Structure formats: structure tokens, C-alpha cells
Amino acid sequence: MPFNSLNGKYVNSKSIERLISIKDDENIPGVEDISIISASQDIKQIKEIIRNNHWSIDHPIRQNLWECLTNQISTDEHIDIYHELVKDLFGDNYYNCSLPSFVDPAYCIRYHLNTDGKQTVEKILQIIRQSKPDITYCPVLYPLISIFLHYMSEEMAYSCTMKILSDKQNYISQTKGDHTASAYLVMKLCKKYAKNAYLQLEKELKEHEDLENMFQNWISWIFKGLPFTYLVRIVDCFLVDKKKSLYRIVIALLILYNKNVDKSTSEDLGSLQKLMDFFQNIPVPVEKVLKMGYGIRGFSEKLVNQQLVKVQMTLKSHTNLGGRSQSADRLSPSQSGYHLGINSSDQPIIRQLKMDSSCRTRSVGVVALGNFKSCIITPEQMSVIWSWLPLRISMSQPEVIYSSNEHGVCLTAFYMTVGEWEPTILLIKSTSDEIIGAYCSSAWNERNSSDVQNKKYTYFGNGETFLFTISPELRKYHWVGSVSGEDVPHSAKLFMAADNHMINVGAGNGQGLLLDDNLLYGRTEHCDTFDNEPLCSSNNFQCKVVEVIGFK
């Protein structure tokens, strides 16, 4: 008897029956790939398997595939505690209650789930609300959990979702600000890689603001627009290729839309309705959509990250200009958001972000920093640094995780304590009471990473890294590429370096900030990466205290 991977407990079998195309071949290819994925440490091999095996929606591999892929994200287990959390929250009997505030009602899609399935989705969301109180806006959670329940138990669906949420940088936006930034990023990527489709949409709309509002709904193009059979394969790829796979899908969908849509219907339907109608009745198989998306040339993770940094800095600069005094950053007009090429078309997103930021300042900033304790800086000084952080990080709780006063003054203790944390803030108080530091975008354990030729990376990190001074004056030195774009020399792409003898942030014709292996002596110079002035009054300085701040 052929295997049906759909979960009968939660799924409306009559509704889903017409989507299933079961093959009688007993030797279904691909099932053995689970053992390969489980054992493999080669992410390229795993990606190759996922992208090229177009399993049907009822294929038995998904009994374990998604669990296996989320184990690559996090090894934390949540299954055992799920029912305990349910009992603590609801007692012996679950009752229907209002959805968490982070759920967007417009995205409450059931995908053929029955009444029990719908109730289970809402139950899982309530437990997530208790487990992750920092989530403020996450529209994709409802549809994603609904899809999970087709292939797994509720406790496994909860566990897999929690693993995805543990890596909010790469998988799911969890705040309105991050959602806004991702929408702006998608719009820029589509303008670059689907230019004709972008121009066609722009032509169909009377005002550019409407186009931006349309891109705010880009997640719905996938999770509300596409047929369920497409979504299952897209989730396969999403779990291994992260949010970037969704960007590829959206670009491919716009290209297909531009090539296939009937332009004559533009007067009868709004552009958003035309898009959704096209996606719901998409005339090409999912294999072609994925092939087109993954065939986009030059679409590297590095480029996406660079574009995201620019978007975040653009939005952040406008928020800062509207939300706090200019003196906090010590930015000149040439360093402001207007220097990043902002024009009037950015204002709808900017206005929304200002609203989100003001709420973030009131609801998170005071609470997050109220209990903050450091031997180097005050909570007020930390609030300035906090205002410089990427939006997604500034929603987290800062905590001093390393102090030379407690953990000793040697790199071994430093790496053992903070090596796996990402990101971190390095703080230094010199013997002359100057306070300087760096926001370090990558984990210091990246110093041990190697490329495909097994050569260790000399430098690591990304363009979110920045240097700063707190005392005697406030200054922030961001990456020069965030203004200049991609056309910066190699010497301006040297963010972080470390070995058994030193740690270094910023390089290229000088060391931005360097500490020796005893964390006692340092050096600071102008460097190409940040185009900074020396952080201290003297290039060579002696450390009084060194601290590292992590985020929970």
C-alpha cells in the first residue's frame, strides 16, 4: 500500500486528496538522502540534495526531512517540554483564546487543515508567545506551522519552529522593523534582478508609494498566492537556504508574471489582485520556478547581506534623525541617511519605521537596559550604543558575558567565554579612562573557519561591524561600503581578524582596533575599512578593563 505522508489527524483528507499524486514505484528515489543529510557536515551537499530532488507532497521523506533540516539550525530540543508548557498555560483542557499580537490576521491560512488542525496551530502560537516574548510581529508563523502540521506532530511542529526562531537573522523577521527592512530589501533586489517586471509594476501603478506598499506584502505572494504543492517544495528549500531562498522565489515569480500575464487586464484589476491571481494559477511547474530562482546570477549571500546593511542603515538613519538628537552619533550631514541616496519615495517606509522605532524605544529599550550593569559604561551610555545597533539586534537583551576583572587577561579565556556568541560588543577602558569599542558582527570562533580549499580565513565578519568611542566624546565609524556600495577596495573589506596572538577589528593601511594576547596593550589607527580617526588620543594604549557584551 503506498505511503501517505499527510497527517490525517489534522488534515482534511477530502480537501487534500485531489493534490496527491502517488506513484506505485516501491523504490522511490530520495528516501536514503535523509541518512546522508543527518550525517553530512557539508552544507553544499545538503543544498544540492534539497534543490534537485522534487519530491511530491506525499513523499515519505518528509516524515523526517524537515526535522533533520531544522537540526542543522539548532540542536536544542523542545519536544519534551512542549506538553508541560501547554499544561502550565492552559491546564488540563485547552480552550480557544485570542491569537498572539504578533500574528497578522491576513496571514491566517489553514492549507486544508481540519478544525483540530486549526486549533493546534493556534495552541502552538500561544506557547510560542510564552516562550519567545520578544516577538512583536511575525506574519509567516501561522502559515508555516500550518504547513508543518501536514507532516509532523504538534510537539515536533513546535520544536522545529522554535529552532527556526532561534536564528532570527537568517530565517524569519520577528519585528515590524525587520519586516519593513526585508520588504525594502526585496524591492531593491527585484529592481536589480527583475528590472522589466519591476518597471511594468511601476507603470501599472499611479503612485510609487503604492508600489512600496505592495512590496510590504511580499510574503503573501508566496504563502497566500502559490498553490500548496508549490509551498511544500519551497519550505524544503527555505529550511536549508534560509530567507535568501524566498528572495529568489519572489524574483522568479515577478519575472514569470511579466512574461506571462495578460497586460490587457490591467484596467480591470488592481496590480496586487493581478499578481495574486497569476500566482494562484501559475502556468509553470514548481520545478521551473525553483530553477529560475536558483539560476539568478550574481545573487550571492554576501551581496544580499551588503544590501541589507545599506537598507538598515538607511532606515535607521531616518529613525535616528527623527527620534533622537544628532549629537548621539556625532554624524555630519554628509554621513546622514540623505547621503545614502534617500529620496521622497522612501518616505512611506520611513514613516512606518519611525512609528515602530518609537514603540521599540518605549517598550524594549528601557526594559532591556534597566538592569544592565557594566564596569566600563553606564546604562545611559549603553543606550547610545543600543541606538546604533542593527534593528533586529536592538530588540534583544544586552548582557556582559566577559570581563577581564572576572575571567582573566588572556586570549584563551576570551575565546572560551565569548567565542560562540554572535554578535558581540567589545568594550575597552584605557588607563587614561578613554572608552572605546567595536560592534563585532561575527563570532570570534570564525577565526577557525576555512574556505572550500581548506584555507583558513584571514578576515571574517560583515559590513554591520563598526568602531566607536564613548569617552571623551561619542563617535561612530561605520563601514565605508555602507555608503560607497560594493565598489570599495579589498583593503576596505577587512572587518575582523584573530589568532592566538591578537584580535583585530578594522584594517587596511592601519589597524582600526587591535589588542594583544594578554588583553593589556592595544593599538588604534586610521584604517580603510571604517575611514576612522584613531579611537584614543594616543595610537598605543594600555587597557584597564576589557568587557564583551552579548545579546539574549
Side-chain angles (χ1 to χ4, degrees):
M1 184 175 180
F3 180 88
N4 185 347
S5 67
L6 298 172
N7 192 335
K9 180 178 179 181
Y10 303 119
V11 178
N12 186 329
S13 57
K14 290 183 179 180
S15 174
I16 200 73
E17 197 171 69
R18 59 188 175 82
L19 301 177
I20 300 174
S21 177
I22 300 175
K23 299 177 177 61
D24 292 327
D25 182 5
E26 295 182 1
N27 299 315
I28 304 175
V31 178
E32 68 279 0
D33 290 332
I34 277 292
S35 60
I36 298 175
I37 293 172
S38 299
S40 178
Q41 298 296 317
D42 186 350
I43 190 64
K44 288 188 176 180
Q45 181 187 30
I46 296 174
K47 288 181 177 180
E48 194 73 17
I49 292 173
I50 299 301
R51 293 173 185 174
N52 295 328
N53 282 276
H54 296 286
W55 304 289
S56 61
I57 64 168
D58 59 327
H59 197 289
I61 194 171
R62 288 194 187 86
Q63 276 188 308
N64 306 108
L65 177 65
W66 291 352
E67 177 189 359
C68 183
L69 292 179
T70 54
N71 285 340
Q72 302 285 331
I73 304 171
S74 170
T75 56
D76 293 343
E77 290 298 336
H78 306 274
I79 294 176
D80 293 341
I81 66 170
Y82 175 73
H83 290 293
E84 182 180 336
L85 292 171
V86 171
K87 188 171 183 179
D88 289 343
L89 186 59
F90 303 111
D92 294 329
N93 296 308
Y94 170 73
Y95 58 91
N96 290 323
C97 51
S98 60
L99 288 168
S101 59
F102 61 71
V103 174
D104 189 330
Y107 288 81
C108 293
I109 314 163
R110 291 170 61 173
Y111 303 122
H112 313 286
L113 294 182
N114 56 28
T115 302
D116 286 343
K118 174 179 178 292
Q119 183 173 290
T120 301
V121 173
E122 295 174 358
K123 185 196 303 184
I124 294 172
L125 288 168
Q126 289 291 348
I127 300 302
I128 289 174
R129 179 178 64 84
Q130 292 295 112
S131 306
K132 302 281 289 185
D134 55 324
I135 300 177
T136 57
Y137 184 72
C138 194
V140 77
L141 271 188
Y142 195 109
L144 189 62
I145 295 171
S146 297
I147 297 171
F148 278 172
L149 285 178
H150 281 268
Y151 301 96
M152 57 184 70
S153 65
E154 63 179 277
E155 54 265 40
M156 181 58 72
Y158 168 76
S159 179
C160 290
T161 305
M162 288 295 289
K163 291 177 182 181
I164 293 170
L165 290 172
S166 69
D167 188 356
K168 58 186 175 182
Q169 177 176 353
N170 294 310
Y171 284 91
I172 296 179
S173 298
Q174 298 175 35
T175 68
K176 189 68 175 179
D178 280 353
H179 177 79
T180 300
S182 70
Y184 198 22
L185 173 63
V186 168
M187 187 173 71
K188 285 185 171 294
L189 293 173
C190 288
K191 188 174 183 180
K192 179 179 178 66
Y193 293 102
K195 187 174 182 180
N196 291 337
Y198 181 91
L199 293 175
Q200 176 61 30
L201 282 178
E202 194 172 29
K203 182 180 178 181
E204 290 177 5
L205 295 167
K206 294 180 180 180
E207 296 181 8
H208 191 67
E209 179 176 339
D210 292 336
L211 185 60
E212 291 186 347
N213 290 336
M214 181 180 289
F215 273 96
Q216 285 292 311
N217 298 309
W218 73 276
I219 285 288
S220 72
W221 302 356
I222 298 174
F223 287 95
K224 291 183 69 175
L226 292 176
F228 181 76
T229 50
Y230 286 59
L231 292 177
V232 174
R233 278 294 291 127
I234 288 171
V235 171
D236 290 342
C237 297
F238 166 68
L239 293 179
V240 72
D241 276 314
K242 310 173 186 178
K243 193 187 295 184
K244 189 177 68 172
S245 67
L246 301 184
Y247 299 157
R248 288 183 177 274
I249 295 298
V250 167
I251 294 170
L253 290 175
L254 278 189
I255 293 172
L256 289 167
Y257 168 79
N258 188 58
K259 288 181 177 180
N260 294 278
V261 74
D262 184 0
K263 307 294 193 300
S264 65
T265 63
S266 60
E267 295 182 0
D268 302 324
L269 294 172
S271 290
L272 180 57
Q273 187 59 51
K274 281 179 62 180
L275 274 176
M276 299 303 283
D277 286 352
F278 175 78
F279 297 153
Q280 289 165 2
N281 301 281
I282 190 166
V284 299
V286 65
E287 293 85 353
K288 183 171 182 179
V289 176
L290 293 175
K291 183 177 180 180
M292 180 174 290
Y294 282 104
I296 299 170
R297 304 186 67 177
F299 194 86
S300 66
E301 187 166 355
K302 180 179 180 181
L303 179 141
V304 172
N305 288 337
Q306 287 179 341
Q307 291 295 321
L308 179 59
V309 169
K310 292 180 69 176
V311 165
Q312 289 178 328
M313 292 193 64
T314 298
L315 299 176
K316 186 81 171 179
S317 67
H318 277 69
T319 303
N320 292 343
L321 289 173
R324 70 174 193 274
S325 66
Q326 183 97 351
S327 62
D329 278 355
R330 307 286 289 189
L331 296 177
S332 65
S334 66
Q335 292 172 301
S336 72
Y338 297 101
H339 188 67
L340 300 180
I342 299 300
N343 54 47
S344 60
S345 66
D346 296 315
Q347 295 309 311
I349 289 179
I350 303 302
R351 284 197 298 271
Q352 179 63 53
L353 196 69
K354 284 181 179 179
M355 293 170 59
D356 300 333
S357 178
S358 63
C359 295
R360 173 166 64 88
T361 302
R362 290 193 301 270
S363 64
V364 178
V366 175
V367 174
L369 301 179
N371 297 322
F372 177 79
K373 294 181 180 179
S374 164
C375 294
I376 297 180
I377 57 174
T378 65
E380 291 75 20
Q381 290 171 325
M382 181 60 202
S383 70
V384 174
I385 300 175
W386 180 85
S387 70
W388 294 336
L389 301 179
L391 290 171
R392 66 179 188 283
I393 303 302
S394 60
M395 297 299 293
S396 301
Q397 177 80 38
E399 178 183 334
V400 174
I401 57 174
Y402 170 87
S403 171
S404 57
N405 288 341
E406 295 181 21
H407 298 88
V409 283
C410 71
L411 275 181
T412 301
F414 179 91
Y415 292 141
M416 288 179 62
T417 308
V418 309
E420 295 182 356
W421 286 75
E422 178 182 336
T424 55
I425 295 173
L426 175 65
L427 282 176
I428 302 164
K429 187 172 188 177
S430 71
T431 51
S432 57
D433 288 333
E434 294 173 295
I435 300 174
I436 63 175
Y439 173 79
C440 306
S441 57
S442 294
W444 287 104
N445 281 356
E446 285 290 310
R447 72 191 190 280
N448 297 319
S449 299
S450 303
D451 60 19
V452 292
Q453 298 177 335
N454 206 30
K455 294 181 180 178
K456 282 192 175 183
Y457 292 119
T458 305
Y459 284 90
F460 50 94
N462 60 50
E464 289 186 338
T465 310
F466 61 82
L467 298 175
F468 60 84
T469 64
I470 295 296
S471 178
E473 62 178 341
L474 295 168
R475 285 189 178 275
K476 175 191 173 186
Y477 299 99
H478 53 68
W479 175 46
V480 295
S482 62
V483 175
S484 304
E486 301 169 50
D487 299 326
V488 296
H490 176 71
S491 63
K493 299 178 181 179
L494 308 178
F495 301 107
M496 299 168 60
D499 56 27
N500 294 333
H501 306 290
M502 62 86 194
I503 57 174
N504 171 227
V505 183
N509 296 307
Q511 307 297 328
L513 177 58
L514 181 142
L515 292 180
D516 72 349
D517 56 349
N518 291 317
L519 303 180
L520 289 176
Y521 297 95
R523 182 168 178 80
T524 176
E525 303 170 305
H526 169 274
C527 69
D528 292 346
T529 306
F530 302 109
D531 191 25
N532 59 288
E533 298 175 10
L535 304 182
C536 290
S537 55
S538 173
N539 291 113
N540 297 304
F541 61 89
Q542 187 172 350
C543 303
K544 181 186 291 185
V545 185
V546 177
E547 289 184 344
V548 176
I549 296 172
F551 299 89
K552 290 186 175 181

